[in-house]
Amino acid sequence: MLNIVIVQGAFFFFFPIQGGAVEKIWFRMGQEFAAVGNKVTHISKTHADLPTVEMQHGVTYVRIKGYDTPKSLLILKLLDLFYSIHALFKIPSDADVIVTNTFWLPFLLRGKKGRKVYADVQRVPKGQMKFYTHIGRLRACSPAIEQAIRAELPVSSHSIVTYIPNPVPFDVPSTSTVKEKIILFVGRVHPEKGVDVLIKAYLDLSAEMRAQWKLVIVGPHEIKDGGGGDTYLKEVQELAAPAKVEILFTGPLFKEADLKEWYAKSTLFCYPAQDGSGDAAPVAPREAMAYGCVPIVSALPCFNDFIEDHKNGCIFDQASANQIASLTHIFEELIADPELTARLSKAAILVLKTYASQTIAQQFLNDFKTLIK
């Protein structure tokens, strides 16, 4: 049995209440670790409606003071430091592995404790990896991120880098839900996610196609939730206005059942992340694929390990000067060819076997054991 501690960041609660892909992943992984007999402590931000300590599904949840995401990056790093110092005192002394996605905690843990740190790198690194050479493991969530981490380290430290893919962090029950003519986006409503690009590409479809197909945009826009703020929301809503009822903004959906319902009934899933987005291994496309949505993504390397163009999804070039026309063309191709869409959908569903929560949790546990040795 391992004693595993998960310390998530200072700015989100765990997923069932608020959070993004990282929070969702580690909430589920903690429960998977506990299900096979490990001791798990999950440290996260407090919430007014939740106790500071409780046990669920075999996991002990400990909640400490956190913060709303500030606009200033400098203030964000300072608040992360305060949170990480507080978290230090909540980590059990007999912990075997300390998993964290915080910026400062790997800096603060040194010596024997430092070698227990399992840093979860879920964004493109920006030079900070060289400061983590004393820790036990730098976990990359995609091959592209693995390469980026290694590029910032001396060769002597490459041995601490490991790659384990992100899972589909929920079970997918069989469903009788009928697919509808819906193009779905799930993610932060932010310029780096290309929401404006998506809307423009959709508006370039013929009036006949738009009359049959609806675009649904799910995700938070507020800065505290990682969105682009009120100004960007107003911009994309005004952009979408000509489509009238054909474009729906749902806002964030933190209830898993609500999100699953959109995945189950949508036919296409578009995630047009832009250059510089920092995306490392987005989870939403995997979730959508598990429900048979055909993924349409940009040509960022973070998608290369699980999406192949015209085999289980479609890829457009976000770096092209004509990226909107390129994306519109893919929409037109799939809408006009239901047989192609059906074939890609069947191939997309196979992602669930490769990236099932139980499968990925076991990969983590095997890696944890090598870290301890």
Side-chain angles (χ1 to χ4, degrees):
M1 180 184 77
L2 299 178
N3 187 349
I4 303 166
V5 180
I6 300 169
V7 184
Q8 72 178 61
F11 305 104
F12 296 105
F13 310 108
F14 60 77
F15 175 72
I17 293 179
Q18 179 204 35
V22 178
E23 291 72 33
K24 186 188 300 187
I25 288 167
W26 289 108
F27 178 72
R28 181 56 186 263
M29 289 296 97
Q31 294 182 3
E32 294 291 350
F33 299 155
V36 292
N38 296 289
K39 183 179 179 180
V40 182
T41 303
H42 189 143
I43 300 171
S44 64
K45 176 183 174 180
T46 53
H47 188 276
D49 297 333
L50 298 172
T52 54
V53 179
E54 69 172 326
M55 178 173 280
Q56 289 185 23
H57 306 288
V59 178
T60 300
Y61 293 97
V62 178
R63 302 183 181 103
I64 62 176
K65 178 177 172 56
Y67 308 92
D68 288 337
T69 305
K71 292 182 179 179
S72 167
L73 180 60
L74 179 62
I75 294 175
L76 183 145
K77 295 303 182 188
L78 185 61
L79 295 177
D80 182 87
L81 176 59
F82 295 156
Y83 176 89
S84 297
I85 291 172
H86 193 176
L88 277 176
F89 296 97
K90 300 296 182 179
I91 297 173
S93 59
D94 59 346
D96 293 314
V97 180
I98 304 167
V99 180
T100 186
N101 67 310
T102 62
F103 179 82
W104 283 106
L105 197 59
F107 282 98
L108 299 174
L109 290 167
R110 298 280 167 170
K112 289 183 179 179
K113 284 190 175 180
R115 291 191 289 275
K116 296 178 180 181
V117 174
Y118 196 94
D120 182 35
V121 184
Q122 291 276 4
R123 289 185 67 81
V124 177
K126 296 182 178 180
Q128 73 270 37
M129 295 296 106
K130 59 181 175 290
F131 299 116
Y132 295 148
T133 55
H134 66 285
I135 70 172
R137 206 61 102 238
L138 284 164
R139 176 256 170 168
C141 54
S142 71
I145 296 302
E146 181 183 18
Q147 292 176 12
I149 294 172
R150 290 179 185 275
E152 294 188 3
L153 296 175
V155 174
S156 58
S157 295
H158 283 190
S159 61
I160 71 170
V161 183
T162 190
Y163 159 58
I164 295 178
N166 281 337
V168 175
F170 51 53
D171 296 320
V172 181
S174 57
T175 175
S176 58
T177 303
V178 177
K179 288 290 186 184
E180 299 177 21
K181 293 181 177 181
I182 295 173
I183 302 169
L184 177 67
F185 166 86
V186 175
R188 295 181 291 113
V189 180
H190 193 287
E192 65 187 22
K193 299 298 184 183
V195 177
D196 53 311
V197 172
L198 171 57
I199 292 172
K200 290 174 182 176
Y202 173 79
L203 290 175
D204 279 352
L205 291 172
S206 67
E208 182 182 357
M209 285 184 173
R210 282 193 285 108
Q212 298 179 46
W213 285 77
K214 180 166 63 177
L215 173 62
V216 177
I217 296 171
V218 177
H221 78 279
E222 293 188 31
I223 290 174
K224 69 180 181 65
D225 295 324
D230 293 339
T231 301
Y232 184 65
L233 178 64
K234 183 179 179 181
E235 177 187 329
V236 294
Q237 285 179 330
E238 290 177 351
L239 189 62
K244 298 180 181 178
V245 297
E246 295 151 15
I247 299 181
L248 172 66
F249 290 84
T250 71
L253 296 178
F254 295 122
K255 288 186 178 180
E256 193 171 278
D258 294 339
L259 190 57
K260 286 181 174 180
E261 183 178 354
W262 280 115
Y263 287 141
K265 63 186 180 182
S266 298
T267 298
L268 307 179
F269 179 88
C270 187
Y271 196 90
Q274 300 293 288
D275 290 332
S277 70
D279 278 301
V283 172
R286 300 172 207 253
E287 294 176 339
M289 292 167 73
Y291 273 92
C293 298
V294 177
I296 304 164
V297 298
S298 52
L300 295 178
C302 60
F303 300 110
N304 291 348
D305 59 325
F306 67 103
I307 297 177
E308 293 184 75
D309 191 31
H310 283 77
K311 291 187 177 180
N312 65 348
C314 292
I315 297 172
F316 75 98
D317 184 6
Q318 82 291 340
S320 167
N322 297 314
Q323 67 160 322
I324 294 170
S326 176
L327 182 54
T328 301
H329 174 72
I330 291 175
F331 289 157
E332 291 171 339
E333 180 184 18
L334 294 173
I335 290 171
D337 192 344
E339 290 186 3
L340 171 62
T341 301
R343 176 171 61 80
L344 295 178
S345 174
K346 288 181 180 179
I349 291 174
L350 298 178
V351 76
L352 188 59
K353 292 184 179 180
T354 308
Y355 300 103
S357 291
Q358 297 83 358
T359 301
I360 302 303
Q362 189 57 57
Q363 291 183 34
F364 276 119
L365 290 171
N366 291 341
D367 203 34
F368 293 165
K369 290 172 183 176
T370 65
L371 176 62
I372 294 169
K373 289 179 182 178

